[in-house]
């Protein structure tokens, strides 16, 4: 019988994820223990930032394995969008030096796979930070036919001209890592009435870039 590398890799990654969660729990206990020792707060904040990034990368890899599995279907449940966005916004406001604002109605909800959307949002924010953006604004648009989208606008240098004409993104090296490719894969996994999600990129009229996550 052929050796199933994908099953082995998936099992190992899940074990690493469980260990990572145990580490995060221990980290939280340590953080509570040193609350009265401000001289250690800077060290703890640095550890937390690296732990959060490592944990997110593990979730990304697990999600990639899911998407590449032909039997994979996203778990598109109804979620309050602001509940999904708030912890990610808090992370980037406090750990990455970005100012993130939003214009999302607290009562807005939608059907989407929460883990996949978290990956798309996280990568959009990280890409903006890596090209020098300081401020990001998140807003939504709804349409009569039921589809909706998330606008992620930043004040960075904007996209290169050649990127604006690409309909399919590829894996690229450098600071952006999986970048737009992973965002596109996460949104395209969503489906409604034989239509798939998509992303659209453009430059803002004045300055900066805009990534649109479009749900069918």
């Amino acid at each position: 019988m052929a050796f199933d590398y994908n099953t082995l890799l998936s099992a190992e990654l899940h074990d690493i994820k469980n260990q990572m969660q145990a580490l995060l729990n221990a980290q939280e206990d340590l953080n509570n223990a040193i609350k009265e020792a401000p001289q250690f707060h800077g060290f703890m904040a640095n550890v937390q930032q690296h732990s959060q990034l490592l944990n997110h990368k593990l979730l990304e890899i697990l999600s990639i394995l899911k998407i590449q599995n032909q039997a994979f279907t996203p778990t598109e449940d109804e979620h309050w969008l602001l509940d999904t966005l708030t912890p990610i916004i808090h992370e980037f406001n406090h750990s990455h030096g970005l100012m993130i604002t939003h214009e999302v109605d607290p009562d807005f909800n939608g059907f989407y796979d929460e883990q996949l959307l978290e990956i798309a949002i996280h990568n959009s924010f990280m890409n903006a930070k890596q090209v020098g953006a300081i401020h990001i604004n998140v807003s939504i648009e709804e349409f009569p036919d039921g589809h909706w989208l998330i606008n992620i606008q930043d004040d960075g240098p904007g996209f290169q001209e050649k990127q604006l004409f690409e309909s399919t993104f590829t894996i690229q090296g450098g600071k952006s890592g999986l970048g737009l490719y992973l965002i596109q894969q996460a949104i395209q996994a969503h489906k409604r009435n034989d239509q798939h999600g998509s992303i659209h990129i453009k430059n803002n009229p004045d300055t900066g870039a805009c990534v649109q996550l479009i749900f069918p």
Side-chain angles (χ1 to χ4, degrees):
M1 186 175 68
F3 192 76
D4 190 345
Y5 288 100
N6 285 335
T7 299
L8 175 63
L9 179 60
S10 180
E12 291 294 330
L13 285 170
H14 275 95
D15 283 345
I16 294 171
K17 179 178 178 293
N18 290 337
Q19 291 299 318
M20 188 67 215
Q21 186 58 56
L23 176 61
L24 290 172
N25 293 339
Q27 181 178 286
E28 185 62 27
D29 292 340
L30 178 58
N31 193 43
N32 291 330
I34 65 171
K35 278 184 177 179
E36 303 304 321
Q39 69 270 29
F40 298 121
H41 290 179
F43 296 107
M44 198 64 213
N46 191 35
V47 171
Q48 287 177 317
Q49 180 177 345
H50 288 294
S51 295
Q52 288 171 347
L53 288 173
L54 178 58
N55 188 54
H56 185 79
K57 286 300 177 185
L58 282 170
L59 292 177
E60 281 186 356
I61 295 170
L62 287 167
S63 295
I64 292 168
L65 286 174
K66 287 181 182 178
I67 293 171
Q68 295 305 313
N69 182 347
Q70 294 182 355
F72 168 74
T73 55
T75 306
E76 295 185 56
D77 294 325
E78 187 175 19
H79 301 280
W80 301 105
L81 182 59
L82 198 54
D83 287 347
T84 302
L85 291 173
T86 297
I88 307 174
I89 290 174
H90 182 271
E91 174 190 344
F92 277 84
N93 279 340
H94 291 82
S95 300
H96 299 286
L98 280 174
M99 181 175 68
I100 301 178
T101 57
H102 70 82
E103 302 169 30
V104 178
D105 187 334
D107 293 329
F108 177 81
N109 57 18
F111 284 86
Y112 55 85
D113 184 298
E114 189 168 38
Q115 183 174 325
L116 292 181
L117 180 56
E118 286 172 351
I119 286 171
I121 295 289
H122 194 282
N123 276 272
S124 298
F125 288 0
M126 186 59 72
N127 287 350
K129 170 185 166 58
Q130 290 174 337
V131 297
I134 298 172
H135 176 243
I136 295 174
N137 183 259
V138 181
S139 61
I140 60 171
E141 295 180 51
E142 298 180 80
F143 300 89
D145 65 357
H147 88 276
W148 57 283
L149 63 82
I150 302 174
N151 287 305
I152 303 172
Q153 296 175 287
D154 67 57
D155 61 352
F159 290 108
Q160 298 176 8
E161 193 69 21
K162 64 179 182 179
Q163 289 180 291
L164 298 174
F165 297 99
E166 295 178 355
S167 58
T168 302
F169 302 101
T170 57
I171 298 175
Q172 298 177 349
K175 290 184 177 179
S176 296
L178 293 172
L180 292 169
Y181 170 80
L182 185 53
I183 298 170
Q184 185 175 55
Q185 293 297 307
I187 301 304
Q188 280 184 341
H190 293 80
K191 183 179 178 180
R192 182 173 72 94
N193 296 334
D194 296 324
Q195 293 185 331
H196 289 268
S198 61
I199 74 168
H200 177 68
I201 63 172
K202 60 182 181 179
N203 286 329
N204 298 321
D206 298 324
T207 184
C210 177
V211 175
Q212 294 181 315
L213 311 180
I214 306 168
F215 292 82

